[in-house]
Amino acid sequence: MKKKSESHILGKLLKKIAPRIGAKVFLEPEWNIAGQIIFKSGKKSYFRYNTIDLNPVGSSEIAKDKDYANLFMKRQGYPIVPGSKTFFSREWADAIGSPERDIDSAYEHACRLGFPVIVKPNSGSQGAGVSLVSNKTDFYKTMKSIFKRHNVALVQQAVSGKDYRIVVLDDTIISAYERIPLSVVGDGALTILQLLDAKQKNFKKIGRDINLKTQDPRIHIKLKRQGLTLQSIIPKGQRVELLDNANLSTGGDSIDMTTQVHPEFAQIAINLTRDMGLRLCGVDLMIDGDISKPPHQYWVLEINAAPGLDHYAKSGTEQKHIVENLYLKVLESLDRA
């Protein structure tokens, strides 16, 4: 087992807050990613990474598979990203007897949708491999990159708006925040690469365990669309986005919206969590508008049965307290179950 470079806060967090309800946590000492919760009654529960004994296994497995999750969400009337369809690596397409769903068929589907399109792994997390591609060359390059690690990729119509995550526990909105893609702001002197290096140093200073990968082909594709390279110097005050996905784990920033979620969006997230058989869920929405206003047009990007809140917790003192309170409520729910 290779040790993860990113530190996960859940184990240490649970160990810190469990005594508040008379529980204690044993955290395995080598990796600090798995543990046992012993409640006052003697009942035991377990966790690994961000997965805790709260959501049913079947519902959690569906949530991990973006295509299956889309199927069931669409069936229940939730607006998923249009044109979403899975395609397979050539080896996997041959193995399962679906040669008509290979990379060339994926390109034909993308052409029918019209570029740009979104391409991403079907089972990925934390924004890994998510790309907006605008032409044939970048499409094949991106798909081949995904197929080096995954057998199944999703091709979707590109939708635009503000990217939000709402974290739901049972019938309560625990947190909500707008996610801003990795970006840099020019000073008229430093190159984009130098600005990224400075951003990396700042992440380390504030304790965000992010390794910005400047050779990520998605960054180069994004810059190329803007007529830029890593060596470009951008004017003072001008912001340049470097990725299309807005995950905090890839260097994105967050704007807390927990107290500003419109009641209709709050109810949508709560209903979706329940309808997908989950108790704890991160609901990712793309909203054409603002989450504080009544819904007009929006799409459910994904759901996450084990929402990683590491980077959110490290974005500020208030956010840290929100995450602590969330998991205190999770522990109380586990104790009662």
Side-chain angles (χ1 to χ4, degrees):
M1 183 193 225
K2 184 179 178 182
K3 190 165 184 177
K4 303 273 284 188
S5 60
E6 177 186 339
S7 68
H8 291 265
I9 67 168
L10 182 57
K12 293 177 182 177
L13 174 60
L14 292 178
K15 195 165 187 173
K16 173 186 174 183
I17 64 176
R20 298 183 196 174
I21 60 167
K24 54 186 177 180
V25 170
F26 168 74
L27 189 60
E28 57 83 19
E30 185 175 4
W31 308 98
N32 292 327
I33 57 174
Q36 179 191 61
I37 307 162
I38 305 101
F39 293 98
K40 193 162 49 175
S41 64
K43 177 183 174 181
K44 298 178 179 66
S45 188
Y46 296 84
F47 62 90
R48 181 174 180 270
Y49 288 121
N50 293 313
T51 301
I52 195 163
D53 281 342
L54 189 67
N55 288 325
V57 174
S59 297
S60 296
E61 288 298 309
I62 292 295
K64 289 178 187 176
D65 187 302
K66 296 178 177 64
D67 189 44
Y68 281 144
N70 281 339
L71 169 69
F72 291 107
M73 289 191 293
K74 184 178 180 180
R75 188 171 185 272
Q76 296 176 95
Y78 294 98
I80 65 168
V81 178
S84 183
K85 189 172 181 179
T86 52
F87 296 91
F88 315 124
S89 65
R90 285 200 171 96
E91 295 78 11
W92 190 244
D94 290 340
I96 64 176
S98 295
E100 75 284 357
R101 298 279 288 280
D102 64 5
I103 191 170
D104 297 320
S105 301
Y107 175 67
E108 292 172 4
H109 180 66
C111 290
R112 287 192 293 271
L113 291 178
F115 285 102
V117 296
I118 291 290
V119 176
K120 58 185 176 182
N122 185 52
S123 58
S125 61
Q126 298 187 329
V130 179
S131 298
L132 180 74
V133 294
S134 302
N135 56 60
K136 182 177 182 179
T137 299
D138 290 342
F139 182 85
Y140 273 89
K141 182 178 180 180
T142 303
M143 289 288 280
K144 287 176 181 177
S145 176
I146 290 173
F147 287 145
K148 287 179 181 178
R149 296 191 176 189
H150 305 270
N151 288 322
V152 186
L154 273 175
V155 179
Q156 304 174 317
Q157 181 179 315
V159 293
S160 60
K162 293 183 178 181
D163 187 316
Y164 295 95
R165 167 162 287 188
I166 305 175
V167 180
V168 177
L169 175 61
D170 293 325
D171 293 326
T172 304
I173 301 297
I174 299 298
S175 70
Y177 49 95
E178 182 181 353
R179 304 187 298 182
I180 311 295
L182 172 65
S183 62
V184 292
V185 177
D187 65 355
L190 297 179
T191 66
I192 292 175
L193 181 59
Q194 290 169 326
L195 292 170
L196 272 174
D197 288 341
K199 197 174 190 91
Q200 178 72 78
K201 289 175 183 175
N202 186 58
F203 282 155
K204 185 176 181 180
K205 182 180 178 181
I206 64 175
R208 282 186 67 181
D209 300 306
I210 296 172
N211 181 23
L212 296 177
K213 300 173 182 177
T214 56
Q215 296 308 310
D216 186 333
R218 296 176 299 167
I219 291 178
H220 294 270
I221 289 171
K222 179 78 172 179
L223 287 174
K224 185 172 71 172
R225 289 205 308 269
Q226 301 172 79
L228 300 168
T229 71
L230 287 173
Q231 301 307 318
S232 298
I233 296 173
I234 49 180
K236 186 175 182 178
Q238 180 178 321
R239 179 181 295 275
V240 173
E241 290 188 356
L242 303 175
L243 288 173
D244 291 301
N245 67 291
N247 298 68
L248 304 190
S249 56
T250 53
D253 296 309
S254 65
I255 301 173
D256 200 276
M257 302 291 289
T258 306
T259 61
Q260 300 176 53
V261 179
H262 191 276
E264 290 184 46
F265 273 122
Q267 197 60 54
I268 287 166
I270 290 167
N271 290 346
L272 175 56
T273 297
R274 183 174 58 247
D275 288 343
M276 292 303 292
L278 300 169
R279 296 184 60 194
L280 174 64
C281 183
V283 178
D284 295 344
L285 302 177
M286 182 71 77
I287 299 176
D288 182 10
D290 193 280
I291 201 168
S292 63
K293 306 289 177 58
H296 170 60
Q297 179 152 38
Y298 71 95
W299 301 269
V300 182
L301 297 178
E302 296 178 11
I303 56 172
N304 195 318
L309 295 169
D310 301 57
H311 299 291
Y312 176 72
K314 293 173 182 176
S315 63
T317 303
E318 182 180 352
Q319 288 72 28
K320 179 183 177 182
H321 290 154
I322 287 173
V323 173
E324 286 188 3
N325 289 333
L326 162 65
Y327 281 109
L328 186 61
K329 291 176 182 177
V330 168
L331 289 177
E332 291 170 341
S333 295
L334 287 171
D335 196 17
R336 289 193 302 267

